[in-house]
Amino acid sequence: MITRDSGPQPADFADVRATNLAVVLRHLRINAPCSRADIAAATGLNKATVSSLVTDLIERRLVREVGMTTNRIGRPAMMLVLDGSPYAAIGLEVNVDYLTAVALDLAGERLLSWRRSFTGASASPGQAIASLAALAKRAVAKMAHEERRVLGLTVGLPGLVDADGVVELAPALGWHEVDLRKSLLSALNEPAYPLLVENDANLAVLAEQRFGGQGSTGNLVYLAGGAGIGAGIICDGRLLRGGRGFAGEFGHLPIDPSGPPCACGRRGCLESLAGLGGLIRRALPDAGTETTASPSEFGPHVDEIHRLARAGDAQVLAALATTGRHLGHGISIVANLINPECVALGGYFTVLAPWLIPDAERELVARSVAGHGGGTRIIASALDSSAAAAGGAAAVLDAIDAGALPTP
Ligand SMILES: [Zn+2]
């Protein structure tokens, strides 16, 4: 029998309580230190409710008291901050030439940041899973040694990942239909903490939102520049995943039907024009990228392009301007669709951003229907190459902030 939803149902007490605990936690994440009265005034919850919620959060060791303040109008008040010292959130990334691990405490402080070289382009999925599991075990063991409980672990990779953590396609890694989440759960002996798998750019945009200094903007795009170009999109405050989790394939926007071949088998996709391969072909025509076996070998070329750009080399500056125009063309399509407040250039784009942004902005403004590019700003990401792993850990913190609190 088909039943119809009869409309909003009254939330039960436990739901309201969990929601309010998360409201207090989020308020403290942004505003701490603050008092119970500050929280009540800012959230609209009454003081007795806030006191009860704070007691609960202190028992869960998510919040702690840091002493009285007298530096304020009115009575001295006990100030509160996020605690979270008994907890850790872990993010891992597997990419073509490295594995990274980042652990954060509840307040977002880094507990570890590891990077290992890795031959992702030639390793089999089984070898990659074994290496990822070994890295995860070491990170979890280090947290256990510090008497921290792991609240969750998220793995990022450059590919299409569905809601069950199955990698449908990761061209740079040579993966097709790899059930990464299930394999990792098995390799880690079915851990008690939640384990998720996500597209790397989707994780990087969560890190950019939390740590990138753009404030609390709910409309943000992170572009991961590499051999390909991935996009993580936060639209109206939510990560845009799409029906099956495959949203954000910015690199395959069709820009020029007569353009160069793309790794996806089509021609003239944005990443065939503005990805690292295209930039190196234009900037360093003698570099011979056609014969380069792995995108990991691009690093020295980026360093060389950066050096020559700083020295004012005309050929390199022209190549960067062309790359910036292609990027701006792609960004204008996203701007016309979802009107982001900010587009952060990550990956190899970050170091080259001063030479990419002026032409990208001109192209964005010229192609946007809304005046001035709809107000979309293009900036260099503040994050380094650990962005996706940091975002993996941030995804765990986001789940806590949304109400998935650890039990006392
Ligand atoms: Zn393509």
Side-chain angles (χ1 to χ4, degrees):
M1 191 179 82
I2 297 170
T3 56
R4 286 176 62 98
D5 187 341
S6 55
Q9 303 290 316
D12 68 26
F13 176 75
D15 285 347
V16 173
R17 179 92 182 162
T19 301
N20 287 343
L21 285 167
V23 165
V24 173
L25 206 57
R26 281 200 302 273
H27 182 79
L28 277 166
R29 181 182 298 289
I30 296 164
N31 299 293
C34 40
S35 69
R36 290 166 175 80
D38 296 337
I39 296 169
T43 61
L45 295 166
N46 74 50
K47 285 184 186 176
T49 302
V50 168
S51 284
S52 162
L53 294 167
V54 166
T55 300
D56 190 338
L57 292 169
I58 289 173
E59 280 171 8
R60 292 172 197 253
R61 297 185 64 190
L62 294 166
V63 167
R64 66 189 168 90
E65 295 179 326
V66 286
M68 306 292 284
T69 178
T70 53
N71 183 25
R72 50 194 285 136
I73 297 165
R75 288 193 303 149
M78 178 60 72
M79 302 305 276
L80 304 162
V81 296
L82 285 184
D83 181 6
S85 55
Y87 301 111
I90 298 177
L92 302 181
E93 183 193 3
V94 55
N95 215 309
V96 288
D97 55 345
Y98 60 84
L99 299 173
T100 49
V102 168
L104 304 175
D105 73 6
L106 191 80
E109 293 296 319
R110 280 206 186 200
L111 303 171
L112 67 83
S113 187
W114 292 338
R115 184 183 170 98
R116 305 269 182 276
S117 60
F118 176 69
T119 53
S122 57
S124 69
Q127 289 166 326
I129 289 161
S131 298
L132 269 174
L135 189 63
K137 282 177 184 169
R138 283 198 57 200
V140 170
K142 181 162 168 47
M143 293 302 101
H145 185 70
E146 295 177 9
E147 299 184 345
R148 290 176 186 273
R149 187 168 128 206
V150 173
L151 295 172
L153 187 152
T154 313
V155 180
L157 81 165
L160 300 174
V161 183
D162 75 13
D164 296 322
V166 176
V167 181
E168 171 152 313
L169 182 67
L173 298 171
W175 293 11
H176 184 66
E177 293 291 339
V178 175
D179 194 342
L180 180 58
R181 181 169 179 274
K182 189 176 171 191
S183 302
L184 270 177
L185 282 172
S186 170
L188 294 170
N189 304 318
E190 308 294 333
Y193 51 78
L195 189 153
L196 297 173
V197 179
E198 182 59 276
N199 171 270
D200 57 354
N202 283 357
L203 296 179
V205 77
L206 296 179
E208 187 71 39
Q209 185 186 43
R210 192 175 276 263
F211 306 116
Q214 297 310 308
S216 56
T217 175
N219 291 283
L220 176 66
V221 175
Y222 177 94
L223 297 181
I229 306 175
I233 299 169
I234 291 174
C235 185
D236 292 339
R238 300 180 73 92
L239 182 65
L240 188 72
R241 301 190 81 260
R244 292 181 57 202
F246 303 156
E249 286 302 312
F250 180 81
H252 300 285
L253 288 174
I255 299 294
D256 177 5
S258 61
C262 179
C264 73
R266 297 166 186 84
R267 295 193 80 88
C269 292
L270 180 63
E271 71 181 38
S272 72
L273 295 160
L276 261 179
L279 173 64
I280 294 169
R281 271 196 309 276
R282 284 188 288 273
L284 307 171
D286 300 330
T289 57
E290 287 78 8
T291 57
T292 299
S294 162
S296 63
E297 293 166 33
F298 287 156
H301 295 323
V302 174
D303 294 343
E304 179 70 355
I305 289 168
H306 186 224
R307 187 185 69 77
L308 291 169
R310 285 168 59 110
D313 182 278
Q315 180 169 258
V316 166
L317 292 178
L320 286 165
T322 302
T323 303
R325 280 198 298 280
H326 288 312
L327 258 185
H329 185 167
I331 291 169
S332 74
I333 295 170
V334 175
N336 282 330
L337 277 175
I338 62 161
N339 187 217
E341 289 170 55
C342 181
V343 175
L345 303 183
Y348 94 84
F349 292 144
T350 303
V351 67
L352 301 175
W355 296 279
L356 296 170
I357 287 175
D359 288 275
E361 282 181 338
R362 266 192 290 278
E363 198 72 13
L364 164 65
V365 169
R367 291 179 181 272
S368 293
V369 176
H372 307 288
T376 298
R377 293 177 296 116
I378 306 174
I379 61 158
S381 170
L383 306 176
D384 62 15
S385 63
S386 68
V396 176
L397 299 184
D398 285 348
I400 305 295
D401 282 357
L405 302 186
T407 49

